[in-house]
Amino acid sequence: IIYLIFRSETKLSSIYHRIMFSMSCADILSSAAIALTTLPMTSEFPCEGNPWEGRAKGNIQTCEAQGFIIVAGGITGLYNAALCVYYACAIA
């Protein structure tokens, strides 16, 4: 979608393209953070019998950054709602 937007003549000048670009960027970031699973998690996880001991390669900052990006990825729903409003206004 991002590639198609930047290849189009209007690029980011249309509201539809801005909404789709923002939604795609948020989705890519959130998906990348989810795909990393336990890698950014701190190896000093404060839990007895930590089952992720071998797969955790990060520290507190990487763990918090991953959590922030995953939660911030929820903004995709707001972009979807904005797209619905845009179409409702375009039809009316």
Side-chain angles (χ1 to χ4, degrees), residues 10 16 21-22 24 27 29 31-32 35 37-38 43-45 47 57-58 62-63 69 74-75 77 82 89:
T10 58
Y16 171 74
F21 175 76
S22 301
S24 297
D27 195 31
L29 287 174
S31 296
T37 61
T38 60
S43 54
E44 301 92 31
F45 196 72
C47 172
K57 305 289 183 204
T62 57
C63 187
I69 293 171
I75 199 165
C89 292

Side-chain angles (χ1 to χ4, degrees), residues 28-41:
I28 287 170
L29 287 174
S30 179
S31 296
I34 292 170
L36 291 174
T37 61
T38 60
L39 286 178
M41 196 167 75

Side-chain angles (χ1 to χ4, degrees), residues 4-14 16-18:
L4 292 174
I5 289 172
F6 283 113
R7 282 200 53 192
S8 72
E9 291 179 16
T10 58
K11 300 204 186 309
L12 290 174
S13 63
S14 79
Y16 171 74
H17 281 175
R18 286 186 214 149

Side-chain angles (χ1 to χ4, degrees), residues 15-16 19 80-92:
I15 295 172
Y16 171 74
I19 294 171
N80 197 1
L83 196 59
C84 292
V85 170
Y86 168 77
Y87 278 121
C89 292
I91 291 172

